[in-house]
Amino acid sequence: MTDKTHKTAPAPRDPSAVSTALPSPRLLRWEVLCVLALSLGAAAVSATISFIGVLTAPESLSEQSTALIRSRAEGRPWLDLSLQLYAVIFALAPVLLVIHLLHRSGESARTIGFDVRRPGTDLGTGLGLATLIGAGGLVVYVLSWRLGLTVTVTPSTLEGYWWDMPILVLQAVKNGVLEEVIVIGYLLHRLAQLGWAPWKAVAASAVLRAFYHAYQGVGMFFGNLVMGVVFGWFYLRHGRTMPLVLAHTVIDIVVFVGAVHLIGNVDWLPG
């Protein structure tokens, strides 16, 4: 009679037993590079290439123009609306990825201050920062344009449909969330975990911000560099991303919506 050996199947692994410790520094560096390659790092490369093309063009910088939001299907409003919504929604995918990665390392969006715990304080602070940065940015843009250091920025080439304003607002919200969550909250948090000195991390974040705005010209490159330093300093001091998201959103809403009504009606405003 043959003796049969019975093998006991291994017990299923308890998901709660999975370690939530941070990845190794090597894996963390690769994580940061992958996130940037899928988001604003790629935008920085694209903007730099575009800026080189602008510099080598026969016209001066101020004689050239760029549109921040372009019509995607001229003459076909519902198709254009669908493509605009698609662009906004999927541009936020890297933000979802960042939040997922934070959760995998035992953290969360709350870790970088991207939450609604302090709505009143965050809104007040965001409006203050928006006023400071927005006013300074407008001065930099107008002066650098007059000096021939910045291209003429057209906020939108949308064709005047009923949904233009909602799309402009959604684009502003998308910019605020995407840029501040990734370039400020996530990047500064991860660089700190990698042992970077605070000022080096802020400098890296600000330079990245400046480069993905490089297509707007030299003046706006340095304007966004300063904005990056101010926002980075604020995050290091307060550990909150949400006020920066609100500030950036308000700035872009004023730029996008305000420009529609002001360009062509105000003599000193380029356009």
Side-chain angles (χ1 to χ4, degrees), residues 236-261:
L236 290 183
R237 185 175 178 86
H238 301 283
R240 298 285 298 161
T241 302
M242 186 57 78
L244 305 178
V245 170
L246 294 172
H248 193 142
T249 299
V250 170
I251 291 170
D252 279 9
I253 288 175
V254 171
V255 170
F256 293 166
V257 177
V260 171
H261 299 287

Side-chain angles (χ1 to χ4, degrees), residues 63 105 112 163 172 201 212 222-223 268:
E63 293 175 324
S105 57
I112 60 174
W163 45 262
Y212 64 72
F222 286 104
W268 53 266

Side-chain angles (χ1 to χ4, degrees), residues 54-65 145-152:
V54 166
L55 288 179
T56 56
E59 303 91 355
S60 67
L61 285 176
S62 59
E63 293 175 324
Q64 301 178 59
S65 64
W145 182 83
R146 294 190 179 280
L147 293 172
L149 299 175
T150 296
V151 301
T152 301

Side-chain angles (χ1 to χ4, degrees), residues 179-200:
E179 294 186 36
E180 305 315 325
V181 169
I182 291 180
V183 175
I184 293 293
Y186 169 77
L187 185 58
L188 293 184
H189 179 63
R190 285 301 195 226
L191 291 181
Q193 291 174 327
L194 286 169
W196 284 46
W199 69 269
K200 287 185 178 180

Side-chain angles (χ1 to χ4, degrees), residues 60-128:
S60 67
L61 285 176
S62 59
E63 293 175 324
Q64 301 178 59
S65 64
T66 186
L68 301 180
I69 303 171
R70 301 178 182 274
S71 176
R72 296 171 179 268
E74 295 181 5
R76 293 175 287 177
W78 290 106
L79 179 59
D80 198 353
L81 174 58
S82 299
L83 291 171
Q84 296 292 343
L85 291 172
Y86 155 81
V88 170
I89 292 170
F90 282 91
L92 290 173
V95 175
L96 296 178
L97 174 61
V98 159
I99 294 173
H100 169 72
L101 291 169
L102 288 171
H103 276 277
R104 286 197 55 157
S105 57
E107 301 161 306
S108 68
R110 188 170 180 170
T111 304
I112 60 174
F114 183 54
D115 55 60
V116 291
R117 282 178 294 162
R118 308 172 188 172
T121 302
D122 287 346
L123 180 59
T125 305
L127 290 174

Side-chain angles (χ1 to χ4, degrees), residues 32-49 94 178-179 182-183 187 207-209 211-213:
V32 171
L33 289 174
C34 288
V35 167
L36 294 181
L38 292 170
S39 57
L40 294 165
V45 174
S46 174
T48 302
I49 294 171
L178 178 66
E179 294 186 36
I182 291 180
V183 175
L187 185 58
V207 168
L208 175 60
R209 184 188 299 267
F211 268 101
Y212 64 72
H213 286 99

Side-chain angles (χ1 to χ4, degrees), residues 126-168:
L127 290 174
L129 286 169
T131 302
L132 174 66
I133 298 296
L138 179 60
V139 171
V140 170
Y141 172 60
V142 173
L143 288 179
S144 61
W145 182 83
R146 294 190 179 280
L147 293 172
L149 299 175
T150 296
V151 301
T152 301
V153 177
T154 303
S156 167
T157 62
L158 299 180
E159 300 180 355
Y161 300 119
W162 64 266
W163 45 262
D164 284 7
M165 289 303 167
I167 286 296
L168 292 175

